[in-house]
Amino acid sequence: MRRLEHYITGAWTPAAGTGAVLADAVTGEAIFETGAAPDMGPVLDHARKVGGPALRAMTPHQRALMLKALGQKLMERKEELYALSAHTGATRSDSWIDIDGGIGTLLTYASRARRELPNQNTMRDGGAEVLAKDGSFVGQHVRVPRQGAAVMINAYNFPVWGMLEKLAPAWIAGMPAIVKPARQTAYVTELAVRMMIDTGLVPEGAIQLICGDAGDLIDQLGPEDMLSFTGSAAVAQKLRAHPAVLAGPVPFNAEADSLNAAILGPDVTPEAPEFDLFITEVFREMTVKAGQKCTAIRRVIVPTALIDAVQSALADRIAATGPGDMGRLVSQGQADDVRAAIAALTEEATLVAGGAYAGTWHAPTLLRCDEAMTARAPHEVEAFGPVATLMPYDGIDQAIAIANLGGGSLVSSVFTNDDHVARDFALGIARLNGRVMFGNRGSAKTSTGHGSPLPMLIHGGPGRAGGGEELGGIRAVFHHMHRVALQGTPDQIAAVTGVWVPGAAQREDRHPFLKPLSDLEIGDTIRTASRTVTLDDIEHFANFTGDTFYAHMDEDAARRNPFFPGRVAHGYLIVSFAAGLFVEPSEGPVLANYGVDNLRFMAPVSPGDALSVILTAKEITPREGEGHGEVRWDCTVLRDGDAVVAQYDVLTLVAKEPRTL
Ligand code: NDP
């Protein structure tokens, strides 16, 4: 039996004192033990004073590349994690969700952050707000990294994924982490942290690990720290009401248990593909990880006319499932909890299939409650194992009411091949769910399933599910940042954010397309000569492209249109002429134009109008480890030198250094 170690203040530290003995879920053999909690003052200090500054000395893209490299290293050693994970009672496919799923989340964040975030720690949130008529005073929302520690308290069922899904967005944001995994499976998290530390890629203090009790960690949190919790609703409640959390106030995010529902639509018949898909999904959710998944289906809500058919289809699958076909509950204690929860459920429901158990093995167990609208236990008691309760409904409104009795879920799924039914359910249950998945024959082969949290989609939910939100792409990064409104002159705002805003200084010397990133600065501008649009141009463009819309071709028809004074130029003709006006044709540092953002045509252009362009370097994002970067240009197209007729951002790739040709 080995004692787990904390990784704190830069060293692996064997825990002193006494803690808990951790047994192998299959053999019952004592394999690890935890000790007492360390003094948390120095741990928090180390995160705030060493880890945070080290992370914030890197840019967001550098941190994202660190995640990528870490993910690759973890992949190389993942078999060690699988071997250890088997002691938790997980099958290989159960562990896949945790290990490959966790590493996949890290890699997803690594690539999304480089695609979607600027490469600087002060990140703009929306555009500048002009606050003075003459444009001399503007406001800009920005997000800045919090400078405390991100404390992460995790549940036992996903020792790797549970850590990595929180770590990835925190690190991208620039916050150091203190990870406290649940005791029962902390040894798997300990190995994953060892692997990350062994790579030498993680800056000192960016991660610390507490194996065992949280000690006085929560008591010592301050207003720049944050607390993210995943676990039971009862502990979430306790932490939310902790005096330090209230007094800080410490931002608190909870992902708690939830009694997730799967609903069979009223349109489905036993012969329809959706019936089998539903049965397969419910059974899968009961058995994967032996039902120890926060997203598992606990409530199976079906039309009254189909309840016997659903019960018998599930009972057949349950009867064919033996101890070798699925994993174990994590510990004898957890098995006792599951049995106690089943006993509580049977106060109001009847056991109709499964129910056998031995030690940490528990057969998939189906209960049935015919009084779903008045019963309480099926909507309130979470048996965190392979257990679900079947309930009948009459009419969509009642099905919605039954689903909503759960008081807020991480996820619900609706199996229907009628899009109107899908819509009715969404309108009825969406507000009480973090995620709603529709299943039918159209997505049978491609659906990611009821129970899979995905890094790009929100994971979390209202009410009983904790009210928090993890994941959800870059949204999760922003949870770790503070949003502030900056006000000042355009030059001040540009200097702080590194992004040019209208009214800030513009510099006109060489054509900015001749400047590599090493020379280019935000505010570098070109004001072009003008070009008069003729009727011939419009007709030529129309015939050349095939866009012979009446507003360009038919004077009378154009005049009958409330927006046009007569025949007008195509919007894309304006954009094309603008490119012709601002381009520098020689082979230089600009490598490619990869699109435009926020294109708006603001006023019509008639034959005889003269177009000119002001093009200004707005944002410069060098790509880490590559020879080029992205430049966003503010492009304003003017009519007769003053009226704005089109406004957009031009997106280009530009070499960092002069090219040797
Ligand atoms: P618990 O709520 O028992 O524990 C969760 C974490 O909280 C553990 O790390 C635990 O540590 C810690 N903890 C407990 N009490 C305190 C305290 N007073 N102060 C600080 N930390 C504390 O959940 P389980 O680990 O048993 O996990 C199962 C539960 O988690 C289920 O209810 C499940 O639905 C839920 N869950 C929710 C998920 C979601 O995303 N919504 C995902 C996964 C699970 P220790 O282990 O050392 O006691």
Side-chain angles (χ1 to χ4, degrees), residues 453-617:
L454 301 171
M456 57 293 275
L457 298 184
I458 286 172
H459 176 63
R464 176 176 176 125
E469 191 180 295
E470 290 166 353
L471 299 183
I474 291 303
R475 282 179 201 83
V477 174
F478 294 155
H479 295 166
H480 299 82
M481 304 184 84
H482 173 68
R483 183 164 46 199
V484 54
L486 302 176
Q487 290 173 277
T489 64
D491 281 330
Q492 287 171 323
I493 298 300
V496 174
T497 60
V499 179
W500 180 86
V501 291
Q506 287 164 300
R507 186 176 63 158
E508 290 178 73
D509 47 14
R510 274 186 305 148
H511 192 297
F513 277 19
L514 294 172
K515 298 181 183 181
L517 295 192
S518 52
D519 274 355
L520 191 70
E521 289 176 24
I522 61 164
D524 279 349
T525 298
I526 172 163
R527 287 170 204 269
T528 71
S530 70
R531 169 175 186 161
T532 301
V533 179
T534 66
L535 196 57
D536 274 356
D537 289 333
I538 295 172
E539 289 190 344
H540 177 73
F541 190 82
N543 293 324
F544 183 51
T545 62
D547 180 352
T548 52
F549 186 62
Y550 70 85
H552 314 305
M553 304 305 285
D554 180 337
E555 183 68 21
D556 292 340
R559 281 185 194 282
R560 285 193 291 274
N561 181 307
F563 296 105
F564 301 128
R567 292 175 72 177
V568 292
H570 305 65
Y572 302 117
L573 172 60
I574 297 170
V575 171
S576 303
F577 277 180
L581 287 165
F582 68 62
V583 79
E584 159 52 57
S586 57
E587 187 178 2
V590 175
L591 304 172
N593 168 2
Y594 70 95
V596 296
D597 269 355
N598 310 320
L599 172 60
R600 288 289 177 280
F601 300 116
M602 337 252 298
V605 170
S606 306
D609 289 345
L611 299 181
S612 61
V613 181
I614 305 173
L615 188 80
T616 305

Side-chain angles (χ1 to χ4, degrees), residues 326-376:
M326 57 186 267
R328 302 295 183 103
L329 296 167
V330 73
S331 64
Q332 191 54 51
Q334 187 60 31
D336 295 343
D337 285 354
V338 168
R339 277 150 216 162
I342 292 174
L345 286 165
T346 51
E347 300 271 313
E348 295 182 283
T350 311
L351 197 154
V352 291
Y357 59 84
T360 55
W361 180 73
H362 202 110
T365 297
L366 186 68
L367 299 121
R368 172 168 168 170
C369 173
D370 286 323
E371 304 300 329
M373 287 295 289
T374 50
R376 298 307 318 152

Side-chain angles (χ1 to χ4, degrees), residues 202-215:
V202 183
E204 182 44 54
I207 186 168
Q208 297 180 85
L209 175 74
I210 309 295
C211 288
D213 202 82

Side-chain angles (χ1 to χ4, degrees), residues 153-158 161 165 180-184 212-215 218 229-236 238-239 242 254-258 292-295 298 334 382 384 410 459-460 465 470:
I153 298 186
N154 295 330
Y156 78 80
N157 55 338
F158 289 115
W161 176 82
E165 59 134 6
K180 196 215 97 56
R183 225 169 305 201
Q184 302 191 72
D213 202 82
I218 315 290
F229 169 81
T230 303
S232 60
V235 175
K238 212 187 292 179
L239 296 181
H242 192 290
E255 292 308 317
D257 59 47
S258 91
Q292 300 163 99
K293 265 187 351 157
C294 53
T295 50
R298 305 283 174 215
Q334 187 60 31
E382 182 198 41
F384 201 60
L410 294 165
H459 176 63
E470 290 166 353

